[in-house]
Amino acid sequence: MKQLRIGVLAGLFVVAGVLAWAGARLWDSFGTLPSVPLAAPIVLAVIAAVLTATALSLRARLKAQRERRPDAKGVDPLMAARAVVFGQASALVAALVSGIYGGTGVYLLGHLDIPSRRDQAIYAGFSVLAGIAVIVAAFFLERVCKLPEDPEDKNHNNHGTAPAGPV
């Protein structure tokens, strides 16, 4: 399984932001600009919280398993892999959505004298922050589920392959 790359997420954010800014500018020239929903930052924050809670739970279970505690619950590798895939998908969608709201928010910065546009710019800003929280939580989850490198593979495998990825 490939790891998340910050460059891909940043590129997706920037491209979506530029397209959203241009789209908002064009759309506003025809009349009304669609609003940024109040639920956008809330939904992104909930996803970030779910990813963080999953990562913390898995980390605690893996630690108990490594310490060979008698009451330790094992971590099913397939469940961990699904959690990582959910985190990666969430990070990609969050980068895209944050870029869209970021581009719209940048456009709205020129219209802060209108109260409704000011509110929309605030919602857009919180959406970007919540999207960043999703991305950070996804990286944390991926780090928690990453398999440790095998020292024997380091010595015997010098073919330029990447280190072990997430579970």
Side-chain angles (χ1 to χ4, degrees):
M1 184 180 301
K2 291 189 177 191
Q3 292 181 311
L4 282 173
R5 300 209 186 276
I6 194 74
V8 171
L9 296 174
L12 190 58
F13 175 83
V14 169
V15 168
V18 169
L19 290 174
W21 173 81
R25 191 170 171 199
L26 179 66
W27 199 316
D28 197 36
S29 69
F30 288 124
T32 62
L33 181 67
S35 63
V36 177
L38 175 60
I42 296 169
V43 169
L44 288 168
V46 167
I47 293 170
V50 167
L51 288 173
T52 302
T54 302
L56 291 173
S57 172
L58 286 172
R59 186 175 71 170
R61 289 171 64 183
L62 287 169
K63 182 180 177 189
Q65 202 172 5
R66 275 192 307 272
E67 293 173 353
R68 302 196 189 284
R69 291 185 199 155
D71 62 338
K73 282 185 169 180
V75 175
D76 179 29
L78 189 56
M79 192 271 301
R82 286 179 181 156
V84 170
V85 169
F86 173 65
Q88 290 178 344
S90 297
L92 289 168
V93 171
L96 180 67
V97 169
S98 295
I100 291 170
Y101 288 133
T104 304
V106 167
Y107 174 76
L108 290 170
L109 288 177
H111 306 283
L112 293 179
D113 52 334
I114 304 168
S116 63
R117 297 273 173 115
R118 187 178 331 115
D119 292 343
Q120 296 301 306
I122 291 169
Y123 299 158
F126 281 131
S127 296
V128 171
L129 291 176
I132 291 170
V134 169
I135 292 168
V136 169
F139 273 109
F140 177 56
L141 176 61
E142 189 176 71
R143 184 173 170 266
V144 165
C145 293
K146 184 174 179 172
L147 291 173
E149 287 188 37
D150 189 5
E152 290 180 18
D153 283 346
K154 255 187 179 177
N155 297 334
H156 297 294
N157 189 2
N158 292 329
H159 301 291
T161 57
V167 174

